Amino acid sequence: MKDARDERRPAGELEAAVMAALWAAGAPLTPGRVQTELGSGLARTTVATILTRLHEKGVVDRERQGRGYAYFPVQDAPGLTARRMHTELDRDTDRETVLARFVAQLSPGDEQHLRRLLEGDER
C-alpha cells in the first residue's frame, strides 16, 4: 500500500503542470476543468489551491464564472521564464556580479544572440 507522501510532488512541479494546462487550453479554465485536463488524480481542492497561489503571485488572472472563477495565464512560457530570471536577479544585492557571471556562463550562440538583442538588432 502506498503512503500518501509517495503521491506528493513539489509545488513547483504542480504549478508547472497547471500552467501547461492553462496554456494548452487557450481559454480560461475552472479548477475542475484544470483537474480534468491534468488527469493526474489530484483533488479539485489541491488544483484550486495551486490556482489561488498562482493568482496571488500574479502569474494567472481570473474571471467570475458562476459561483467560482475561471483562470487564465497572464503571459506565455517565455515571459514567465523571463519574470523568474528577474525575480532571481532582484534577490541579490550585487547585480553587476550576478549579471557578469550569467553572461560568462552563456554558450557562444546565446552570447551572440544576447549581444544582438542589446544592440537592438532583434532578428
Side-chain angles (χ1 to χ4, degrees):
M1 185 167 152
K2 279 190 172 183
D3 185 65
R5 287 171 292 189
D6 293 338
E7 300 299 322
R8 294 191 140 201
R9 290 185 279 174
E13 183 180 322
L14 293 174
E15 288 181 359
V18 168
M19 290 303 298
L22 292 174
W23 285 318
L29 297 179
T30 63
R33 183 61 197 234
V34 172
Q35 177 192 27
T36 300
E37 293 298 317
L38 292 175
S40 63
L42 289 175
R44 194 193 65 74
T45 53
T46 301
V47 174
T49 298
I50 293 166
L51 287 164
T52 298
R53 288 181 182 158
L54 289 169
H55 182 257
E56 289 168 355
K57 292 177 180 180
V59 175
V60 300
D61 205 349
R62 63 188 183 189
E63 59 186 34
R64 254 305 166 196
Q65 194 170 88
R67 292 185 300 167
Y69 291 101
Y71 295 82
F72 55 94
V74 176
Q75 49 196 213
D76 60 9
L80 184 56
T81 299
R83 179 184 172 140
R84 287 183 184 136
M85 292 168 71
H86 278 285
T87 299
E88 288 301 317
L89 184 60
D90 290 343
R91 288 183 181 168
D92 199 298
T93 56
D94 190 358
R95 293 174 74 90
E96 186 175 336
T97 300
V98 172
L99 287 169
R101 290 186 182 165
F102 176 77
V103 170
Q105 294 174 15
L106 290 174
S107 70
D110 285 344
E111 185 177 342
Q112 289 174 349
H113 187 68
L114 182 58
R115 190 175 311 279
R116 282 194 305 270
L117 289 170
L118 290 171
E119 291 170 355
D121 184 15
E122 298 186 33
R123 281 187 264 169

